[in-house]
Amino acid sequence: MNTVTGDVGHAKAAPAGVAPDWIIPQRWRDYTPTEHATWHLLFERQMAQLPKRVIPAFLDGVRVLGMEPTVIPEFGALSERLQRLTGWSVVAVPGLVPDATFFHHLANRRFVSGRFIRTPEQLDYLEEPDVFHDVFGHVPLLAVPAYADYMQAYGEGGLRSLQLGSMTQLARLYWYTVEFGLIREGDRLKIFGAGIVSSHGESAYALDSTEPLRIGFDLRRIMRTDYKIDSFQRNYFVIDSFEELLRCTVEVDFAPIYDEVASQAVIPPGVALPTDHLFPPNPS
Ligand code: HBI
Ligand code: FE
């Protein structure tokens, strides 16, 4: 299952009745029993397979934020817990928002989440991020300080990238870390990307399949690497730690890197370079 977080263009006007920052009320009481049951099904399905696949900090986040298996989290209570830990809050939006709006919220430690949830017929394919992808996939790690700092730095970098016309390169960094990132844990690889964590099929494929490349983190390599939004990834990138990820964003001025990368060929997904540090699938 993949969620499209592709480029939705720049500052599009908010739909009628929606605030300019695209935030809408979650109206938690309006969720139907079927919608809560869909959350319950997706939650249990993932929690059955994630404990041995996901970075432990993700499970700690689910627990410390009080996420329940049976009901869609209420964003006010969720935000109260989260704010105490890392200053982040979760706000509801109708779906994909313009890039500038998205980056603006991240830069202010507000994570935007679709309020809708997929239908029972749509369990494994989704056009836009729904509340399960956004809240189950993305929010638990916002309880981890280094990751919370990285997400805010990404938002600030995103606003700068729009000024520089380099958003495509920066969006690849988001895609290959926040959405589809892997992390080393000893001699094994673990999942942390929200697009994998919230996907039943890709949670297995990303670690076990011999098909995709698993490439050691390299900022310039990532910024040159295209990605597919409607199938499992053909390559993943592997970080050593969130601290490493944070260092690569806050201590580095991206402007010269954007220039360097813009003059080089885009690398299609699934193509290995001789300079890549490749990881094998996890030993079974
Ligand atoms: N809007 N709601 C929402 N969620 C996203 O993940 C999102 C978005 N708008 C733009 C976007 N992502 C990407 O284009 C940026 O990561 C570049
Ligand atoms: Fe996402």
Side-chain angles (χ1 to χ4, degrees), residues 88-275:
W88 276 83
S89 60
V90 181
V91 291
V93 291
L96 285 174
V97 303
D99 298 326
T101 306
F102 182 67
F103 295 136
H104 169 74
H105 285 306
L106 291 183
N108 289 282
R109 296 206 173 215
R110 283 188 299 271
F111 189 79
V112 296
S113 167
R115 78 162 295 280
F116 78 98
I117 191 161
R118 67 198 74 178
T119 62
E121 299 70 42
Q122 276 180 319
L123 286 191
D124 287 314
Y125 189 73
L126 209 55
E127 292 298 310
E128 297 206 3
D130 73 339
V131 67
F132 185 75
H133 169 91
D134 280 327
V135 171
F136 182 83
H138 283 282
V139 171
L141 287 179
L142 288 174
V144 177
Y147 189 82
D149 293 349
Y150 172 66
M151 286 292 279
Q152 179 179 19
Y154 178 82
E156 291 163 348
L159 292 171
R160 259 197 314 275
S161 78
L162 290 175
Q163 249 75 42
L164 298 170
S166 314
M167 195 210 73
T168 304
Q169 282 94 337
L170 192 76
R172 290 172 181 153
L173 176 61
Y174 187 88
W175 187 265
Y176 282 120
T177 55
V178 178
E179 292 297 354
F180 290 98
L182 300 180
I183 187 166
R184 286 171 60 161
E185 194 182 74
D187 66 345
R188 299 183 72 81
L189 300 183
K190 289 284 179 80
I191 300 166
F192 75 89
I196 312 175
V197 158
S198 58
S199 161
H200 185 245
E202 199 150 4
S203 293
Y205 170 86
L207 296 182
D208 303 345
S209 168
T210 53
E211 258 179 59
L213 299 172
R214 297 173 182 88
I215 307 167
F217 180 85
D218 173 331
L219 184 64
R220 289 163 176 78
R221 172 55 160 105
I222 284 184
M223 286 191 169
R224 291 178 58 195
T225 308
D226 201 0
Y227 52 83
K228 301 178 71 65
I229 57 175
D230 52 7
S231 65
F232 290 174
Q233 298 306 303
R234 304 292 310 284
N235 46 227
Y236 297 95
F237 286 87
V238 182
I239 66 170
D240 285 329
S241 68
F242 292 142
E243 289 71 20
E244 173 208 33
L245 196 52
L246 182 60
R247 257 195 316 279
C248 98
T249 37
V250 288
E251 288 168 10
V252 175
D253 173 12
F254 279 2
I257 299 179
Y258 290 144
D259 293 343
E260 186 186 323
V261 165
S263 66
Q264 296 172 305
V266 173
I267 305 165
V271 170
L273 299 188
T275 45

